[in-house]
Amino acid sequence: MKLYELEEELAGTKFTRINKACIMNIAKLVRVRGQINGRLLATLSNGEKLLINRSYVPEIKKKLKI
């Protein structure tokens, strides 16, 4: 399955696209910090850090209500 197909299938859930190659579960999000160039650095409950590209930031903010 292609990533865009998975993204469409997961629409309306706690999963959201954060960059060209990654879909993140917002329920596992522990912290979000601003980075240079409008990107965000997300830290998950398992300690993994993921970059959220600026084109996906508005959708993340909308889902987090910030």
Side-chain angles (χ1 to χ4, degrees):
M1 181 178 274
K2 298 190 187 297
L3 197 57
Y4 71 86
E5 294 171 339
L6 182 59
E7 180 183 15
E8 289 173 6
E9 192 173 309
L10 294 172
T13 66
K14 294 185 185 235
F15 290 88
T16 189
R17 185 106 177 232
I18 61 167
N19 60 43
K20 187 172 123 178
C22 188
I23 293 178
M24 177 181 72
N25 183 352
I26 290 182
K28 298 295 182 180
L29 187 63
V30 175
R31 178 179 22 194
V32 177
R33 291 186 2 189
Q35 297 288 298
I36 297 174
N37 298 330
R39 296 186 301 181
L40 298 174
L41 181 66
T43 304
L44 304 180
S45 59
N46 66 356
E48 186 174 356
K49 295 180 191 281
L50 301 171
L51 276 176
I52 302 171
N53 288 345
R54 61 183 175 193
S55 60
Y56 297 99
V57 168
E59 183 64 27
I60 296 293
K61 287 184 174 182
K62 182 178 167 186
K63 288 195 175 196
L64 295 175
K65 297 180 173 109
I66 56 173

